[in-house]
PDB file of all heavy atoms in Angstrom:
ATOM      1  N   PHE A  75      -1.719 282.279 105.363  1.00  0.00           N
ATOM      2  CA  PHE A  75      -1.152 282.813 104.135  1.00  0.00           C
ATOM      3  C   PHE A  75      -1.149 284.347 104.211  1.00  0.00           C
ATOM      4  O   PHE A  75      -2.109 284.935 104.713  1.00  0.00           O
ATOM      5  CB  PHE A  75      -1.984 282.425 102.907  1.00  0.00           C
ATOM      6  CG  PHE A  75      -2.282 280.955 102.793  1.00  0.00           C
ATOM      7  CD1 PHE A  75      -3.505 280.454 103.212  1.00  0.00           C
ATOM      8  CD2 PHE A  75      -1.344 280.088 102.258  1.00  0.00           C
ATOM      9  CE1 PHE A  75      -3.795 279.094 103.115  1.00  0.00           C
ATOM     10  CE2 PHE A  75      -1.628 278.727 102.145  1.00  0.00           C
ATOM     11  CZ  PHE A  75      -2.849 278.238 102.576  1.00  0.00           C
ATOM     12  N   ILE A  76      -0.088 284.960 103.732  1.00  0.00           N
ATOM     13  CA  ILE A  76      -0.119 286.410 103.524  1.00  0.00           C
ATOM     14  C   ILE A  76      -0.426 286.597 102.040  1.00  0.00           C
ATOM     15  O   ILE A  76       0.300 286.048 101.182  1.00  0.00           O
ATOM     16  CB  ILE A  76       1.239 287.046 103.873  1.00  0.00           C
ATOM     17  CG1 ILE A  76       1.458 287.036 105.382  1.00  0.00           C
ATOM     18  CG2 ILE A  76       1.327 288.475 103.331  1.00  0.00           C
ATOM     19  CD1 ILE A  76       0.605 288.040 106.151  1.00  0.00           C
ATOM     20  N   ALA A  77      -1.500 287.330 101.726  1.00  0.00           N
ATOM     21  CA  ALA A  77      -1.900 287.427 100.324  1.00  0.00           C
ATOM     22  C   ALA A  77      -2.201 288.872  99.945  1.00  0.00           C
ATOM     23  O   ALA A  77      -2.762 289.622 100.753  1.00  0.00           O
ATOM     24  CB  ALA A  77      -3.117 286.554 100.057  1.00  0.00           C
ATOM     25  N   PRO A  78      -1.859 289.274  98.720  1.00  0.00           N
ATOM     26  CA  PRO A  78      -2.183 290.636  98.258  1.00  0.00           C
ATOM     27  C   PRO A  78      -3.605 290.721  97.751  1.00  0.00           C
ATOM     28  O   PRO A  78      -4.119 289.774  97.150  1.00  0.00           O
ATOM     29  CB  PRO A  78      -1.173 290.843  97.104  1.00  0.00           C
ATOM     30  CG  PRO A  78      -0.932 289.475  96.576  1.00  0.00           C
ATOM     31  CD  PRO A  78      -1.108 288.499  97.717  1.00  0.00           C
ATOM     32  N   ILE A  79      -4.275 291.823  98.048  1.00  0.00           N
ATOM     33  CA  ILE A  79      -5.584 292.102  97.437  1.00  0.00           C
ATOM     34  C   ILE A  79      -5.595 293.574  97.038  1.00  0.00           C
ATOM     35  O   ILE A  79      -4.690 294.325  97.396  1.00  0.00           O
ATOM     36  CB  ILE A  79      -6.776 291.804  98.384  1.00  0.00           C
ATOM     37  CG1 ILE A  79      -6.714 292.672  99.644  1.00  0.00           C
ATOM     38  CG2 ILE A  79      -6.882 290.339  98.741  1.00  0.00           C
ATOM     39  CD1 ILE A  79      -8.003 292.658 100.448  1.00  0.00           C
ATOM     40  N   GLY A  80      -6.642 293.990  96.331  1.00  0.00           N
ATOM     41  CA  GLY A  80      -6.802 295.407  96.052  1.00  0.00           C
ATOM     42  C   GLY A  80      -6.113 295.891  94.804  1.00  0.00           C
ATOM     43  O   GLY A  80      -5.775 295.101  93.895  1.00  0.00           O
ATOM     44  N   VAL A  81      -5.878 297.211  94.738  1.00  0.00           N
ATOM     45  CA  VAL A  81      -5.405 297.842  93.516  1.00  0.00           C
ATOM     46  C   VAL A  81      -4.077 297.261  93.034  1.00  0.00           C
ATOM     47  O   VAL A  81      -3.796 297.277  91.814  1.00  0.00           O
ATOM     48  CB  VAL A  81      -5.244 299.384  93.707  1.00  0.00           C
ATOM     49  CG1 VAL A  81      -6.586 300.024  93.840  1.00  0.00           C
ATOM     50  CG2 VAL A  81      -4.375 299.688  94.904  1.00  0.00           C
ATOM     51  N   SER A  82      -3.272 296.734  93.940  1.00  0.00           N
ATOM     52  CA  SER A  82      -1.970 296.173  93.537  1.00  0.00           C
ATOM     53  C   SER A  82      -2.143 294.994  92.595  1.00  0.00           C
ATOM     54  O   SER A  82      -1.203 294.630  91.858  1.00  0.00           O
ATOM     55  CB  SER A  82      -1.175 295.726  94.768  1.00  0.00           C
ATOM     56  OG  SER A  82      -1.873 294.700  95.437  1.00  0.00           O
ATOM     57  N   GLN A  83      -3.335 294.384  92.581  1.00  0.00           N
ATOM     58  CA  GLN A  83      -3.540 293.212  91.722  1.00  0.00           C
ATOM     59  C   GLN A  83      -4.054 293.570  90.322  1.00  0.00           C
ATOM     60  O   GLN A  83      -4.025 292.745  89.441  1.00  0.00           O
ATOM     61  CB  GLN A  83      -4.574 292.274  92.375  1.00  0.00           C
ATOM     62  CG  GLN A  83      -4.112 291.674  93.690  1.00  0.00           C
ATOM     63  CD  GLN A  83      -4.802 290.351  93.926  1.00  0.00           C
ATOM     64  OE1 GLN A  83      -4.431 289.342  93.341  1.00  0.00           O
ATOM     65  NE2 GLN A  83      -5.819 290.366  94.759  1.00  0.00           N
ATOM     66  N   ARG A  84      -4.528 294.845  90.163  1.00  0.00           N
ATOM     67  CA  ARG A  84      -5.151 295.189  88.887  1.00  0.00           C
ATOM     68  C   ARG A  84      -4.200 295.123  87.702  1.00  0.00           C
ATOM     69  O   ARG A  84      -4.602 294.837  86.574  1.00  0.00           O
ATOM     70  CB  ARG A  84      -5.762 296.613  88.971  1.00  0.00           C
ATOM     71  CG  ARG A  84      -7.152 296.604  89.574  1.00  0.00           C
ATOM     72  CD  ARG A  84      -8.094 297.610  88.922  1.00  0.00           C
ATOM     73  NE  ARG A  84      -7.524 298.933  88.748  1.00  0.00           N
ATOM     74  CZ  ARG A  84      -7.468 299.842  89.703  1.00  0.00           C
ATOM     75  NH1 ARG A  84      -7.934 299.571  90.906  1.00  0.00           N
ATOM     76  NH2 ARG A  84      -6.954 301.034  89.466  1.00  0.00           N
ATOM     77  N   SER A  85      -2.932 295.407  87.983  1.00  0.00           N
ATOM     78  CA  SER A  85      -1.949 295.424  86.896  1.00  0.00           C
ATOM     79  C   SER A  85      -1.559 294.013  86.452  1.00  0.00           C
ATOM     80  O   SER A  85      -0.943 293.828  85.397  1.00  0.00           O
ATOM     81  CB  SER A  85      -0.704 296.191  87.335  1.00  0.00           C
ATOM     82  OG  SER A  85      -0.169 295.571  88.508  1.00  0.00           O
ATOM     83  N   LYS A  86      -1.947 293.010  87.264  1.00  0.00           N
ATOM     84  CA  LYS A  86      -1.540 291.635  86.939  1.00  0.00           C
ATOM     85  C   LYS A  86      -2.581 290.969  86.025  1.00  0.00           C
ATOM     86  O   LYS A  86      -3.775 291.224  86.176  1.00  0.00           O
ATOM     87  CB  LYS A  86      -1.369 290.815  88.231  1.00  0.00           C
ATOM     88  CG  LYS A  86      -0.236 291.353  89.108  1.00  0.00           C
ATOM     89  CD  LYS A  86      -0.209 290.647  90.452  1.00  0.00           C
ATOM     90  CE  LYS A  86       0.836 291.290  91.349  1.00  0.00           C
ATOM     91  NZ  LYS A  86       0.778 290.827  92.713  1.00  0.00           N
ATOM     92  N   GLU A  87      -2.082 290.102  85.153  1.00  0.00           N
ATOM     93  CA  GLU A  87      -3.006 289.387  84.268  1.00  0.00           C
ATOM     94  C   GLU A  87      -3.935 288.503  85.080  1.00  0.00           C
ATOM     95  O   GLU A  87      -5.123 288.436  84.829  1.00  0.00           O
ATOM     96  CB  GLU A  87      -2.202 288.538  83.261  1.00  0.00           C
ATOM     97  CG  GLU A  87      -1.679 289.349  82.083  1.00  0.00           C
ATOM     98  CD  GLU A  87      -0.979 288.461  81.098  1.00  0.00           C
ATOM     99  OE1 GLU A  87      -1.381 287.297  80.963  1.00  0.00           O
ATOM    100  OE2 GLU A  87      -0.014 288.948  80.468  1.00  0.00           O
TER     101      GLU A  87
END
Side-chain angles (χ1 to χ4, degrees):
F75 309 99
I76 289 287
I79 62 167
V81 291
S82 62
Q83 295 207 78
R84 275 218 312 278
S85 58
K86 296 173 185 170
E87 279 183 32

